[in-house]
Amino acid sequence: MPLVPSDYNPNFIFKNGHLSTVYSGLFRRIEGLVQQRERLELEDGDFMDLDWSYSETKSKKVIILLHGLEGNAQRPYITGSAKAFNTKGVDACSVNFRGCSGETNRLFRSYHSGATEDLDAVVQHILKKQKYSEIYIKGVSLGGNLALKYVGEERILPAELKAVIGVSVPCNLYSSLKELLSAKNYLYAKRFKKHLVSKLWSKIELFPDKISKEDVLAIKTLKDFDDIYTSRAHGFKNAIDYYEQCSCRQFLPKIKIPSLIINAKNDSFLGDECYPYIEAEENPNVYFKVPNFGGHVGFVAPSNLYYSEKTAIKFVQDMV
């Protein structure tokens, strides 16, 4: 308890994890969602852009949506979630992490899997609006790790924060990295690395004393990126130190509000250590669903309302 059974059973073609992952990332489309951008100025002089969408009726409820590695607030897994919650009377604040909204961020640092100070800045910003009595958080992949780490850390959570959902969560970052570096995920890893490295060229121009052309050219794998940039820019010793400090699995035992994790068995991005069965059994606040299918963020379902979105809505309704 509480390991939650799943009845997710997609059409035959989407029982293939890779097909569901690729289709959902490249071909899914969300129509009819209107977003309004707000720039959140951070205390360290940087910024994040928040893309808001609203329920048709005035709402006292809001969900904060967090994207994955090299994602943004316009990815279909974010816009699909925003639209789904909006139709249920919940406003949505879709976060673009530092440097992910189409504009280079101001500082040498950017975002990473454990940057909960940035999530807290969003939560505090929303609280200051004095508009919402209920706040939820839903994070996808990297964003899911961030959300779960946030509620499991030693901090006093606001009473307005009622529940958290993580989808396709790399609960152990090193375990996930090893899977991404395997042959079956070569094309995914290549795509991630390409996008990450492309952003570093602007960092060279802005911060030549902190990173060089030779540094960027030395990046051959995702781990190299974390050794050369992520760890250096965010105060970790190296990539392994970053993975160890920021993996959310170690924080799950201390979670004190209802939190749901949805990780598919056939998610090729997740190693065995990314499935926290023990933590879910021992902490009554951690609910864990492990569908047989879904790939990585690929829970295709009829009417373009994904299983992960429908489940998140039901979880919020049941818990609150």
Side-chain angles (χ1 to χ4, degrees):
M1 173 69 181
L3 184 61
V4 186
S6 171
D7 59 356
Y8 178 55
N9 189 31
N11 291 337
F12 176 77
I13 188 172
F14 292 119
K15 290 183 178 180
N16 181 291
H18 290 295
L19 286 176
S20 63
T21 300
V22 172
Y23 171 82
S24 300
L26 298 181
F27 300 105
R28 188 188 184 194
R29 297 291 181 268
I30 304 298
E31 305 293 341
L33 181 73
V34 178
Q35 292 178 315
Q36 300 175 17
R37 178 157 291 185
E38 177 187 18
R39 177 151 293 184
L40 174 59
E41 295 289 341
L42 302 171
E43 290 185 358
D44 62 7
D46 214 342
F47 70 92
M48 290 190 296
D49 287 328
L50 313 178
D51 290 330
W52 288 85
S53 59
Y54 299 96
S55 165
E56 289 186 2
T57 57
K58 187 176 180 179
S59 179
K60 292 287 187 180
K61 304 176 182 180
V62 63
I63 186 161
I64 299 169
L65 298 172
L66 307 174
H67 63 74
L69 182 66
E70 283 308 280
N72 55 51
Q74 283 67 55
R75 291 293 171 90
Y77 59 79
I78 295 294
T79 55
S81 292
K83 184 176 181 180
F85 274 94
N86 289 166
T87 60
K88 295 297 182 180
V90 181
D91 293 347
C93 174
S94 300
V95 178
N96 297 277
F97 295 136
R98 303 184 193 221
C100 293
S101 60
E103 182 178 338
T104 302
N105 66 305
R106 299 172 189 144
L107 304 184
F108 181 58
R109 67 155 296 173
S110 56
Y111 72 99
H112 64 82
S113 298
T116 49
E117 68 276 11
D118 286 352
L119 175 53
D120 191 55
V122 175
V123 172
Q124 298 305 322
H125 175 67
I126 290 174
L127 289 171
K128 287 177 183 178
K129 291 178 179 288
Q130 296 185 335
K131 181 180 178 181
Y132 299 105
S133 58
E134 296 180 18
I135 300 173
Y136 319 112
I137 303 173
K138 181 185 177 187
V140 176
S141 195
L142 176 151
N145 184 84
L146 185 68
L148 292 161
K149 178 176 180 282
Y150 176 74
V151 294
E153 289 176 329
E154 296 291 340
R155 64 160 44 84
I156 299 174
L157 297 173
E160 292 86 349
L161 182 55
K162 303 299 185 182
V164 168
I165 303 100
V167 177
S168 301
V169 184
C171 296
N172 182 298
L173 296 173
Y174 188 44
S175 175
S176 179
L177 173 87
K178 288 187 288 186
E179 293 301 313
L180 279 169
L181 294 182
S182 66
K184 65 183 178 183
N185 287 317
Y186 172 77
L187 293 178
Y188 301 120
K190 182 179 179 181
R191 183 181 176 88
F192 282 134
K193 191 194 78 169
K194 177 182 177 182
H195 288 292
L196 289 164
V197 169
S198 68
K199 290 183 176 180
L200 287 187
W201 295 110
S202 62
K203 297 291 185 186
I204 292 174
E205 295 178 10
L206 295 170
F207 305 98
D209 58 324
K210 295 184 176 180
I211 191 166
S212 68
K213 178 180 178 182
E214 289 70 28
D215 288 330
V216 176
L217 292 176
I219 297 174
K220 305 301 181 185
T221 69
L222 291 173
K223 183 177 180 296
D224 292 338
F225 179 87
D226 289 332
D227 273 320
I228 290 171
Y229 173 71
T230 307
S231 58
R232 188 185 304 179
H234 302 99
F236 301 104
K237 296 177 184 177
N238 50 39
I240 298 299
D241 182 47
Y242 159 52
Y243 305 144
E244 289 179 349
Q245 289 199 45
C246 294
S247 294
C248 74
R249 185 166 182 172
Q250 63 195 302
F251 298 95
L252 299 183
K254 295 183 180 180
I255 289 178
K256 296 179 181 179
I257 66 171
S259 299
L260 171 66
I261 303 170
I262 307 172
N263 281 359
K265 283 185 179 179
N266 68 344
D267 188 333
S268 69
F269 290 22
L270 305 182
D272 291 343
E273 293 86 353
C274 294
Y275 294 85
Y277 290 100
I278 295 174
E279 290 80 359
E281 290 174 355
E282 295 181 348
N283 186 344
N285 296 306
V286 177
Y287 296 76
F288 190 28
K289 271 184 179 283
V290 190
N292 290 321
F293 312 107
H296 194 72
V297 201
F299 298 94
V300 184
S303 303
N304 205 21
L305 177 64
Y306 271 35
Y307 169 79
S308 50
E309 294 157 2
K310 183 177 179 180
T311 303
I313 290 170
K314 186 176 186 304
F315 182 74
V316 165
Q317 292 172 337
D318 290 348
M319 291 299 106
V320 182

